């Protein structure tokens, strides 16, 4: 769920995402050293966000179907738009119930 995790992290942990991305931009050659603190804050936010946890639990079947599709079609990911939309619809429903 790594790609989707990034989308959810951006949505629910914006403050920490911005801190990390700003740090990476400031230290493009040494970000892996200089931005560790920001990365850990983002990771903690993501791991503890109730909505993100519920989406990972409830929408795993839809995500697995999407992931299988992009694995089979790495050069034509647009073929997987329907599968992606089904996952996003699930994620949106779960998120709406969590707020």
């Amino acid at each position: 769920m790594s790609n989707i995790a990034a989308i959810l992290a951006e949505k629910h942990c914006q403050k920490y995402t911005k801190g990390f991305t700003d740090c990476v931009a400031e230290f493009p050659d040494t970000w892996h050293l200089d931005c560790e603190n920001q990365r850990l804050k983002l990771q903690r936010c993501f791991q503890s966000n109730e909505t993100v946890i519920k989406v990972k639990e409830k929408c795993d079947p839809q995500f697995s179907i999407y992931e299988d599709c992009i694995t089979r079609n790495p050069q034509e990911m647009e073929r997987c738009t329907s599968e992606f939309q089904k996952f996003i619809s699930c994620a949106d429903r779960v998120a709406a119930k969590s707020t």
Side-chain angles (χ1 to χ4, degrees):
M1 250 190 202
S2 59
N3 292 341
I4 303 307
I7 293 167
L8 293 171
E10 173 65 29
K11 185 174 180 180
H12 297 286
C13 300
Q14 287 178 338
K15 172 182 161 184
Y16 299 108
T17 302
K18 180 167 177 25
F20 180 66
T21 56
D22 287 352
C23 184
V24 170
E26 186 175 345
F27 302 101
D29 297 326
T30 59
W31 67 268
H32 58 286
L33 300 171
D34 293 316
C35 303
E36 183 66 8
N37 190 36
Q38 291 84 347
R39 185 189 69 77
L40 290 173
K41 286 179 182 178
L42 178 59
Q43 183 180 23
R44 280 193 298 271
C45 177
F46 183 64
Q47 290 175 340
S48 65
N49 185 281
E50 185 178 318
T51 301
V52 174
I53 292 167
K54 286 181 181 179
V55 167
K56 288 170 82 174
E57 290 172 358
K58 306 250 184 220
C59 302
D60 187 58
Q62 291 87 342
F63 179 76
S64 293
I65 291 168
Y66 169 66
E67 189 173 46
D68 288 345
C69 182
I70 60 173
T71 300
R72 287 189 318 274
N73 301 288
Q75 304 301 327
E76 300 175 293
M77 289 177 42
E78 65 276 359
R79 289 181 157 208
C80 305
T81 302
S82 173
E83 290 82 353
F84 180 73
Q85 287 303 321
K86 288 175 186 171
F87 169 74
I88 292 300
S89 293
C90 177
D92 286 345
R93 281 191 308 277
V94 171
K97 290 179 185 176
S98 296
T99 56

mmCIF file of all heavy atoms in Angstrom, residues 14-44:
data_model
loop_
_atom_site.group_PDB
_atom_site.id
_atom_site.type_symbol
_atom_site.label_atom_id
_atom_site.label_comp_id
_atom_site.label_asym_id
_atom_site.label_seq_id
_atom_site.Cartn_x
_atom_site.Cartn_y
_atom_site.Cartn_z
ATOM 1 N N GLN A 14 -0.479 16.429 6.875
ATOM 2 C CA GLN A 14 0.070 17.479 6.012
ATOM 3 C C GLN A 14 1.225 18.240 6.656
ATOM 4 O O GLN A 14 2.225 18.514 6.001
ATOM 5 C CB GLN A 14 -1.025 18.463 5.626
ATOM 6 C CG GLN A 14 -1.998 17.903 4.637
ATOM 7 C CD GLN A 14 -3.108 18.887 4.309
ATOM 8 O OE1 GLN A 14 -3.390 19.797 5.063
ATOM 9 N NE2 GLN A 14 -3.747 18.680 3.170
ATOM 10 N N LYS A 15 1.086 18.569 7.912
ATOM 11 C CA LYS A 15 2.134 19.340 8.599
ATOM 12 C C LYS A 15 3.473 18.599 8.546
ATOM 13 O O LYS A 15 4.511 19.177 8.250
ATOM 14 C CB LYS A 15 1.697 19.572 10.046
ATOM 15 C CG LYS A 15 2.734 20.189 10.934
ATOM 16 C CD LYS A 15 2.162 20.321 12.347
ATOM 17 C CE LYS A 15 3.243 20.486 13.374
ATOM 18 N NZ LYS A 15 2.701 20.514 14.733
ATOM 19 N N TYR A 16 3.433 17.294 8.799
ATOM 20 C CA TYR A 16 4.660 16.509 8.840
ATOM 21 C C TYR A 16 5.170 16.192 7.438
ATOM 22 O O TYR A 16 6.380 16.125 7.219
ATOM 23 C CB TYR A 16 4.445 15.235 9.649
ATOM 24 C CG TYR A 16 4.054 15.555 11.072
ATOM 25 C CD1 TYR A 16 2.759 15.340 11.522
ATOM 26 C CD2 TYR A 16 4.969 16.123 11.952
ATOM 27 C CE1 TYR A 16 2.392 15.656 12.820
ATOM 28 C CE2 TYR A 16 4.608 16.443 13.254
ATOM 29 C CZ TYR A 16 3.321 16.210 13.678
ATOM 30 O OH TYR A 16 2.966 16.538 14.959
ATOM 31 N N THR A 17 4.238 16.014 6.499
ATOM 32 C CA THR A 17 4.645 15.803 5.116
ATOM 33 C C THR A 17 5.387 17.025 4.593
ATOM 34 O O THR A 17 6.440 16.911 3.971
ATOM 35 C CB THR A 17 3.416 15.516 4.227
ATOM 36 O OG1 THR A 17 2.740 14.371 4.734
ATOM 37 C CG2 THR A 17 3.814 15.260 2.787
ATOM 38 N N LYS A 18 4.844 18.201 4.874
ATOM 39 C CA LYS A 18 5.486 19.437 4.429
ATOM 40 C C LYS A 18 6.861 19.602 5.067
ATOM 41 O O LYS A 18 7.827 19.952 4.388
ATOM 42 C CB LYS A 18 4.605 20.639 4.747
ATOM 43 C CG LYS A 18 5.238 21.946 4.291
ATOM 44 C CD LYS A 18 4.270 23.080 4.301
ATOM 45 C CE LYS A 18 4.856 24.416 3.940
ATOM 46 N NZ LYS A 18 6.027 24.472 3.145
ATOM 47 N N GLY A 19 6.968 19.314 6.367
ATOM 48 C CA GLY A 19 8.259 19.423 7.037
ATOM 49 C C GLY A 19 9.304 18.520 6.411
ATOM 50 O O GLY A 19 10.455 18.927 6.185
ATOM 51 N N PHE A 20 8.901 17.301 6.087
ATOM 52 C CA PHE A 20 9.832 16.349 5.484
ATOM 53 C C PHE A 20 10.212 16.766 4.060
ATOM 54 O O PHE A 20 11.393 16.793 3.706
ATOM 55 C CB PHE A 20 9.236 14.941 5.497
ATOM 56 C CG PHE A 20 10.132 13.907 4.890
ATOM 57 C CD1 PHE A 20 11.343 13.580 5.477
ATOM 58 C CD2 PHE A 20 9.775 13.261 3.725
ATOM 59 C CE1 PHE A 20 12.186 12.618 4.915
ATOM 60 C CE2 PHE A 20 10.600 12.301 3.156
ATOM 61 C CZ PHE A 20 11.805 11.986 3.751
ATOM 62 N N THR A 21 9.211 17.115 3.247
ATOM 63 C CA THR A 21 9.521 17.480 1.860
ATOM 64 C C THR A 21 10.335 18.768 1.788
ATOM 65 O O THR A 21 11.220 18.893 0.932
ATOM 66 C CB THR A 21 8.251 17.592 0.996
ATOM 67 O OG1 THR A 21 7.352 18.521 1.592
ATOM 68 C CG2 THR A 21 7.561 16.250 0.847
ATOM 69 N N ASP A 22 10.052 19.720 2.675
ATOM 70 C CA ASP A 22 10.851 20.947 2.712
ATOM 71 C C ASP A 22 12.301 20.631 3.076
ATOM 72 O O ASP A 22 13.229 21.196 2.504
ATOM 73 C CB ASP A 22 10.277 21.944 3.718
ATOM 74 C CG ASP A 22 8.983 22.597 3.249
ATOM 75 O OD1 ASP A 22 8.602 22.400 2.075
ATOM 76 O OD2 ASP A 22 8.350 23.289 4.073
ATOM 77 N N CYS A 23 12.490 19.733 4.023
ATOM 78 C CA CYS A 23 13.837 19.351 4.435
ATOM 79 C C CYS A 23 14.583 18.674 3.284
ATOM 80 O O CYS A 23 15.742 18.983 3.020
ATOM 81 C CB CYS A 23 13.771 18.429 5.654
ATOM 82 S SG CYS A 23 15.404 17.995 6.297
ATOM 83 N N VAL A 24 13.913 17.770 2.591
ATOM 84 C CA VAL A 24 14.540 17.082 1.455
ATOM 85 C C VAL A 24 14.943 18.095 0.385
ATOM 86 O O VAL A 24 16.038 18.000 -0.187
ATOM 87 C CB VAL A 24 13.600 15.997 0.885
ATOM 88 C CG1 VAL A 24 14.130 15.445 -0.430
ATOM 89 C CG2 VAL A 24 13.407 14.867 1.901
ATOM 90 N N ALA A 25 14.082 19.073 0.141
ATOM 91 C CA ALA A 25 14.405 20.105 -0.848
ATOM 92 C C ALA A 25 15.609 20.940 -0.407
ATOM 93 O O ALA A 25 16.438 21.335 -1.231
ATOM 94 C CB ALA A 25 13.199 21.004 -1.083
ATOM 95 N N GLU A 26 15.708 21.187 0.895
ATOM 96 C CA GLU A 26 16.813 21.994 1.409
ATOM 97 C C GLU A 26 18.140 21.235 1.411
ATOM 98 O O GLU A 26 19.204 21.814 1.245
ATOM 99 C CB GLU A 26 16.486 22.455 2.830
ATOM 100 C CG GLU A 26 17.503 23.413 3.401
ATOM 101 C CD GLU A 26 17.106 23.948 4.772
ATOM 102 O OE1 GLU A 26 15.941 23.817 5.168
ATOM 103 O OE2 GLU A 26 17.996 24.502 5.446
ATOM 104 N N PHE A 27 18.065 19.914 1.598
ATOM 105 C CA PHE A 27 19.267 19.078 1.677
ATOM 106 C C PHE A 27 19.189 17.928 0.663
ATOM 107 O O PHE A 27 19.128 16.753 1.052
ATOM 108 C CB PHE A 27 19.425 18.500 3.084
ATOM 109 C CG PHE A 27 19.514 19.533 4.166
ATOM 110 C CD1 PHE A 27 18.416 19.829 4.964
ATOM 111 C CD2 PHE A 27 20.702 20.221 4.384
ATOM 112 C CE1 PHE A 27 18.500 20.786 5.969
ATOM 113 C CE2 PHE A 27 20.796 21.174 5.390
ATOM 114 C CZ PHE A 27 19.687 21.465 6.177
ATOM 115 N N PRO A 28 19.195 18.240 -0.631
ATOM 116 C CA PRO A 28 18.985 17.185 -1.632
ATOM 117 C C PRO A 28 20.065 16.106 -1.654
ATOM 118 O O PRO A 28 19.772 14.959 -2.014
ATOM 119 C CB PRO A 28 18.951 17.952 -2.954
ATOM 120 C CG PRO A 28 19.663 19.226 -2.677
ATOM 121 C CD PRO A 28 19.420 19.544 -1.232
ATOM 122 N N ASP A 29 21.261 16.433 -1.244
ATOM 123 C CA ASP A 29 22.342 15.445 -1.287
ATOM 124 C C ASP A 29 22.495 14.658 0.004
ATOM 125 O O ASP A 29 23.057 13.564 0.002
ATOM 126 C CB ASP A 29 23.672 16.131 -1.625
ATOM 127 C CG ASP A 29 23.646 16.758 -3.007
ATOM 128 O OD1 ASP A 29 22.992 16.193 -3.913
ATOM 129 O OD2 ASP A 29 24.260 17.824 -3.172
ATOM 130 N N THR A 30 22.015 15.228 1.096
ATOM 131 C CA THR A 30 22.207 14.573 2.399
ATOM 132 C C THR A 30 20.900 14.408 3.164
ATOM 133 O O THR A 30 20.903 14.230 4.376
ATOM 134 C CB THR A 30 23.180 15.402 3.262
ATOM 135 O OG1 THR A 30 22.642 16.722 3.430
ATOM 136 C CG2 THR A 30 24.565 15.463 2.620
ATOM 137 N N TRP A 31 19.770 14.435 2.439
ATOM 138 C CA TRP A 31 18.468 14.371 3.102
ATOM 139 C C TRP A 31 18.331 13.141 3.989
ATOM 140 O O TRP A 31 17.696 13.192 5.039
ATOM 141 C CB TRP A 31 17.331 14.424 2.084
ATOM 142 C CG TRP A 31 17.269 13.218 1.204
ATOM 143 C CD1 TRP A 31 17.864 13.061 -0.005
ATOM 144 C CD2 TRP A 31 16.594 12.003 1.480
ATOM 145 N NE1 TRP A 31 17.601 11.815 -0.506
ATOM 146 C CE2 TRP A 31 16.820 11.136 0.390
ATOM 147 C CE3 TRP A 31 15.813 11.543 2.541
ATOM 148 C CZ2 TRP A 31 16.292 9.859 0.332
ATOM 149 C CZ3 TRP A 31 15.289 10.262 2.487
ATOM 150 C CH2 TRP A 31 15.536 9.434 1.383
ATOM 151 N N HIS A 32 18.917 12.019 3.563
ATOM 152 C CA HIS A 32 18.786 10.774 4.327
ATOM 153 C C HIS A 32 19.421 10.901 5.711
ATOM 154 O O HIS A 32 19.063 10.163 6.625
ATOM 155 C CB HIS A 32 19.359 9.590 3.548
ATOM 156 C CG HIS A 32 20.793 9.757 3.173
ATOM 157 N ND1 HIS A 32 21.212 10.604 2.168
ATOM 158 C CD2 HIS A 32 21.904 9.203 3.682
ATOM 159 C CE1 HIS A 32 22.523 10.558 2.079
ATOM 160 N NE2 HIS A 32 22.975 9.718 2.978
ATOM 161 N N LEU A 33 20.322 11.836 5.882
ATOM 162 C CA LEU A 33 20.936 12.108 7.188
ATOM 163 C C LEU A 33 20.273 13.302 7.877
ATOM 164 O O LEU A 33 19.927 13.242 9.052
ATOM 165 C CB LEU A 33 22.437 12.383 7.026
ATOM 166 C CG LEU A 33 23.275 11.270 6.409
ATOM 167 C CD1 LEU A 33 24.674 11.769 6.117
ATOM 168 C CD2 LEU A 33 23.306 10.066 7.327
ATOM 169 N N ASP A 34 20.099 14.376 7.129
ATOM 170 C CA ASP A 34 19.627 15.635 7.701
ATOM 171 C C ASP A 34 18.129 15.665 7.997
ATOM 172 O O ASP A 34 17.686 16.504 8.782
ATOM 173 C CB ASP A 34 19.979 16.797 6.779
ATOM 174 C CG ASP A 34 21.484 17.026 6.701
ATOM 175 O OD1 ASP A 34 22.137 17.004 7.759
ATOM 176 O OD2 ASP A 34 21.997 17.199 5.589
ATOM 177 N N CYS A 35 17.371 14.789 7.394
ATOM 178 C CA CYS A 35 15.913 14.859 7.535
ATOM 179 C C CYS A 35 15.339 13.680 8.315
ATOM 180 O O CYS A 35 14.129 13.434 8.281
ATOM 181 C CB CYS A 35 15.269 14.938 6.156
ATOM 182 S SG CYS A 35 15.856 16.343 5.183
ATOM 183 N N GLU A 36 16.172 12.970 9.025
ATOM 184 C CA GLU A 36 15.716 11.791 9.756
ATOM 185 C C GLU A 36 14.644 12.148 10.789
ATOM 186 O O GLU A 36 13.653 11.436 10.933
ATOM 187 C CB GLU A 36 16.902 11.085 10.433
ATOM 188 C CG GLU A 36 16.538 9.817 11.160
ATOM 189 C CD GLU A 36 16.039 8.682 10.259
ATOM 190 O OE1 GLU A 36 16.105 8.788 9.022
ATOM 191 O OE2 GLU A 36 15.564 7.687 10.816
ATOM 192 N N ASN A 37 14.821 13.235 11.489
ATOM 193 C CA ASN A 37 13.849 13.639 12.505
ATOM 194 C C ASN A 37 12.474 13.902 11.876
ATOM 195 O O ASN A 37 11.452 13.444 12.391
ATOM 196 C CB ASN A 37 14.348 14.870 13.249
ATOM 197 C CG ASN A 37 13.521 15.184 14.464
ATOM 198 O OD1 ASN A 37 13.048 14.287 15.153
ATOM 199 N ND2 ASN A 37 13.346 16.464 14.738
ATOM 200 N N GLN A 38 12.456 14.609 10.747
ATOM 201 C CA GLN A 38 11.202 14.893 10.058
ATOM 202 C C GLN A 38 10.562 13.612 9.519
ATOM 203 O O GLN A 38 9.347 13.450 9.558
ATOM 204 C CB GLN A 38 11.420 15.892 8.916
ATOM 205 C CG GLN A 38 11.758 17.282 9.375
ATOM 206 C CD GLN A 38 13.245 17.489 9.674
ATOM 207 O OE1 GLN A 38 14.030 16.542 9.771
ATOM 208 N NE2 GLN A 38 13.637 18.734 9.819
ATOM 209 N N ARG A 39 11.393 12.714 9.018
ATOM 210 C CA ARG A 39 10.876 11.440 8.501
ATOM 211 C C ARG A 39 10.218 10.637 9.619
ATOM 212 O O ARG A 39 9.137 10.070 9.442
ATOM 213 C CB ARG A 39 12.004 10.617 7.866
ATOM 214 C CG ARG A 39 11.499 9.333 7.194
ATOM 215 C CD ARG A 39 12.639 8.430 6.764
ATOM 216 N NE ARG A 39 13.346 7.856 7.891
ATOM 217 C CZ ARG A 39 12.901 6.824 8.632
ATOM 218 N NH1 ARG A 39 11.750 6.257 8.369
ATOM 219 N NH2 ARG A 39 13.623 6.355 9.633
ATOM 220 N N LEU A 40 10.848 10.613 10.787
ATOM 221 C CA LEU A 40 10.291 9.866 11.911
ATOM 222 C C LEU A 40 8.976 10.469 12.399
ATOM 223 O O LEU A 40 8.046 9.738 12.752
ATOM 224 C CB LEU A 40 11.305 9.784 13.055
ATOM 225 C CG LEU A 40 12.524 8.901 12.775
ATOM 226 C CD1 LEU A 40 13.544 9.037 13.900
ATOM 227 C CD2 LEU A 40 12.113 7.459 12.572
ATOM 228 N N LYS A 41 8.889 11.791 12.414
ATOM 229 C CA LYS A 41 7.631 12.445 12.801
ATOM 230 C C LYS A 41 6.512 12.085 11.827
ATOM 231 O O LYS A 41 5.387 11.782 12.237
ATOM 232 C CB LYS A 41 7.808 13.962 12.846
ATOM 233 C CG LYS A 41 8.590 14.445 14.031
ATOM 234 C CD LYS A 41 8.735 15.962 13.992
ATOM 235 C CE LYS A 41 9.565 16.469 15.149
ATOM 236 N NZ LYS A 41 9.745 17.935 15.096
ATOM 237 N N LEU A 42 6.822 12.122 10.540
ATOM 238 C CA LEU A 42 5.832 11.752 9.527
ATOM 239 C C LEU A 42 5.415 10.298 9.696
ATOM 240 O O LEU A 42 4.228 9.967 9.655
ATOM 241 C CB LEU A 42 6.395 12.004 8.128
ATOM 242 C CG LEU A 42 5.498 11.613 6.963
ATOM 243 C CD1 LEU A 42 4.172 12.356 7.004
ATOM 244 C CD2 LEU A 42 6.209 11.872 5.640
ATOM 245 N N GLN A 43 6.369 9.431 9.903
ATOM 246 C CA GLN A 43 6.083 8.015 10.075
ATOM 247 C C GLN A 43 5.179 7.786 11.289
ATOM 248 O O GLN A 43 4.207 7.038 11.216
ATOM 249 C CB GLN A 43 7.388 7.231 10.227
ATOM 250 C CG GLN A 43 7.197 5.742 10.347
ATOM 251 C CD GLN A 43 8.539 5.024 10.489
ATOM 252 O OE1 GLN A 43 9.536 5.612 10.902
ATOM 253 N NE2 GLN A 43 8.549 3.767 10.142
ATOM 254 N N ARG A 44 5.485 8.442 12.401
ATOM 255 C CA ARG A 44 4.659 8.292 13.612
ATOM 256 C C ARG A 44 3.236 8.801 13.371
ATOM 257 O O ARG A 44 2.264 8.187 13.798
ATOM 258 C CB ARG A 44 5.286 9.015 14.792
ATOM 259 C CG ARG A 44 6.393 8.233 15.448
ATOM 260 C CD ARG A 44 6.785 8.816 16.792
ATOM 261 N NE ARG A 44 7.299 10.170 16.698
ATOM 262 C CZ ARG A 44 8.574 10.489 16.504
ATOM 263 N NH1 ARG A 44 9.478 9.540 16.373
ATOM 264 N NH2 ARG A 44 8.945 11.749 16.417
#
